[in-house]
Amino acid sequence: MERVPVLKIGEILLVSIQIDMEDQVALQLQEDLAERIVATGVRGVIIDISALDIVDSFVGRTLATIASVSRVLDAETVVVGMRPAVAITLVELGLSLPGIRTALNVDLGIAMLARQDEDIDLLGDEDDTDQVAEPTP
Amino acid sequence: MNDDVQRLPVVTDQDVVRVRQLVRTVAVAVKLSLVDQTKLVTAASELARNTLVYGGGGEAEVSRVHNDRRAGIRIVFADQGPGIADLDLALTDGYTTGGGLGLGLSGARRLVDEFEIDTEPGKGTTITVVKWCR
Ligand SMILES: Nc1ncnc2c1ncn2[C@@H]1O[C@H](COP(=O)(O)OP(=O)(O)O)[C@@H](O)[C@H]1O
Ligand SMILES: [Mg+2]
């Protein structure tokens, strides 16, 4: 079975889905990501689906589950690069992907994660000196 | 009238991927628009998965069809599984007996031009869909 690679880039995990996934491959990705979020402690996940020519209800549900699971693990997921024809089809299929944040491309996805997590230098060096967050008054 | 009939087994996860790929290839050959290709391949993916998961496996048959005005694609999904006892219910958005999203049947119906179900409890299910070029 093929596996979708999960890359750590700076303080985010980047998943770029380049294959037409069998259902089992999608479920494996869901598991792999949860493990990598815990292992790395990242606060952001970007899933690039620009290579996917369709998203059906199974992949849609998998993306939604990934987003919920990562949120529980204190990481935010952004799905990026959805093709226009895929968006039109998803809506007609009846899947509006509630709870999933989207951005047009990887750069905008990173910017979105950075905004919601401004105290973390998402793409900074891993050996950055620790910043102690000031307690909010 | 029809020609170019291609049959694929639908018995594994990988077969579902093959059905998507075949439908995409034929949709391009028939010159469906990009959005219509995407809709048809998505509908085929939903129905092929149902054939596998609920029908216990079966077959997909993809053909190019035409009438006097237009070309199109017809796909027939057939299984000899348990059948669908309450079709209206099965076609309701959100109804699932398998922990899915319940959007496969109802969504696929919206994504194609023609949609026909022939099902009988204990005998199996055959679903025929057609998408025409605009
Ligand atoms: N080929 C089939 N054979 C038997 N039952 C089916 C078949 N296809 C669909 N069903 C029934 O219809 C329900 C709705 O299907 P669908 O809309 O695809 O939703 P889901 O796949 O998420 O359950 C299924 O849960 C199942 O009970
Ligand atoms: Mg289904």
Side-chain angles (χ1 to χ4, degrees):
Chain A
M1 197 178 73
E2 290 172 285
R3 220 165 167 141
V4 177
V6 178
L7 306 175
K8 181 165 183 288
I9 297 178
E11 288 306 309
I12 61 167
L13 293 178
L14 176 66
V15 179
S16 177
I17 304 175
Q18 295 290 333
I19 53 169
D20 188 337
M21 294 186 292
E22 282 174 39
D23 291 359
Q24 281 304 321
V25 175
L27 293 176
Q28 184 69 52
L29 171 62
Q30 194 177 300
E31 278 179 35
D32 288 350
L33 253 178
E35 274 168 28
R36 288 293 298 280
I37 290 169
V38 171
T40 58
V42 298
R43 302 283 308 279
V45 175
I46 291 190
I47 303 181
D48 181 2
I49 60 166
S50 58
L52 291 189
D53 55 23
I54 69 151
V55 171
D56 64 13
S57 69
F58 192 88
V59 170
R61 183 178 60 155
T62 304
L63 293 175
T65 306
I66 286 174
S68 317
V69 169
S70 55
R71 198 164 295 138
V72 172
L73 296 173
D74 200 23
E76 202 56 40
T77 299
V78 184
V79 171
V80 307
M82 185 183 294
R83 296 182 184 184
V86 171
I88 291 168
T89 301
L90 265 183
V91 169
E92 200 160 331
L93 186 66
L95 205 64
S96 51
L97 299 181
I100 296 192
R101 310 180 66 186
T102 58
L104 289 182
N105 57 44
V106 173
D107 287 346
L108 291 172
I110 291 173
M112 185 182 268
L113 288 174
R115 269 200 307 279
Q116 54 112 39
D117 217 0
E118 270 166 344
D119 54 339
I120 291 186
D121 184 8
L122 284 166
L123 288 176
D125 301 326
E126 284 170 50
D127 55 7
D128 263 357
T129 46
D130 284 344
Q131 290 183 332
V132 181
E134 299 284 11
T136 36
Chain B
M1 253 196 83
N2 67 301
D3 44 74
D4 285 319
V5 181
Q6 285 176 274
R7 286 192 181 79
L8 285 178
V10 183
V11 211
T12 65
D13 262 7
Q14 230 186 337
D15 292 337
V16 175
V17 175
R18 288 199 190 97
V19 169
R20 287 200 286 262
Q21 286 166 352
L22 175 62
V23 171
R24 165 74 64 186
T25 305
V26 178
V28 170
V30 171
K31 297 199 170 66
L32 284 187
S33 72
L34 179 60
V35 170
D36 282 345
Q37 288 171 31
T38 306
K39 289 181 178 181
L40 184 64
V41 176
T42 304
S45 182
E46 295 293 344
L47 298 174
R49 183 178 296 105
N50 283 354
T51 298
L52 175 66
V53 173
Y54 300 112
E59 198 182 63
E61 183 190 280
V62 182
S63 7
R64 294 173 70 153
V65 290
H66 43 92
N67 57 25
D68 43 353
R69 293 188 301 126
R70 318 183 269 188
I73 304 182
R74 179 174 61 212
I75 318 172
V76 181
F77 299 88
D79 66 64
Q80 287 163 8
I84 303 173
D86 189 338
L87 251 187
D88 284 344
L89 193 57
L91 279 164
T92 306
D93 273 357
Y95 176 79
T96 177
T97 57
L101 291 177
L103 292 173
L105 275 185
S106 52
R109 179 157 74 163
R110 285 189 287 270
L111 293 172
V112 297
D113 297 320
E114 295 173 25
F115 185 92
E116 203 183 291
I117 301 189
D118 183 8
T119 184
E120 203 181 325
K123 293 262 168 63
T125 301
T126 299
I127 299 183
T128 305
V129 300
V130 180
K131 189 95 183 156
W132 295 106
C133 290
R134 315 251 146 243

